[in-house]
Amino acid sequence: MRTIPLSEASHHLDELVDEAIKGKEIVIERDKSSRVKLVPVHAPEHFPVFGSAKDKIFISEDFDSPIPDFNVYER
């Protein structure tokens, strides 16, 4: 883990970001009590593809037919 003061981090931010992306732990310190950890944000591995569920989902022919005995719930 590398701890670096904020004043120095502001001058070397580009290099610190590169180190964090490579997996190194970077902690930025201000006033010796406030600390922030610089970590990479990982993007999703894949995005959904339009039409990828084709032929996997179906709706039955009678999906909108009246439900037997449903009139018990009607008032």
Side-chain angles (χ1 to χ4, degrees), residues 19-31:
E19 287 183 33
I21 289 172
K22 292 177 183 173
K24 294 184 181 176
E25 192 171 292
I26 308 294
V27 176
I28 300 173
E29 186 176 63
R30 179 174 66 180
D31 302 330

Side-chain angles (χ1 to χ4, degrees), residues 3-48:
T3 303
I4 185 168
L6 179 61
S7 58
E8 189 179 331
S10 63
H11 297 296
H12 303 287
L13 187 59
D14 193 42
E15 293 137 18
L16 294 173
V17 168
D18 288 339
E19 287 183 33
I21 289 172
K22 292 177 183 173
K24 294 184 181 176
E25 192 171 292
I26 308 294
V27 176
I28 300 173
E29 186 176 63
R30 179 174 66 180
D31 302 330
K32 297 194 184 220
S33 61
S34 302
R35 293 181 172 190
V36 176
K37 186 187 289 186
L38 187 61
V39 295
V41 176
H42 297 287
E45 293 182 17
H46 68 286
F47 293 95

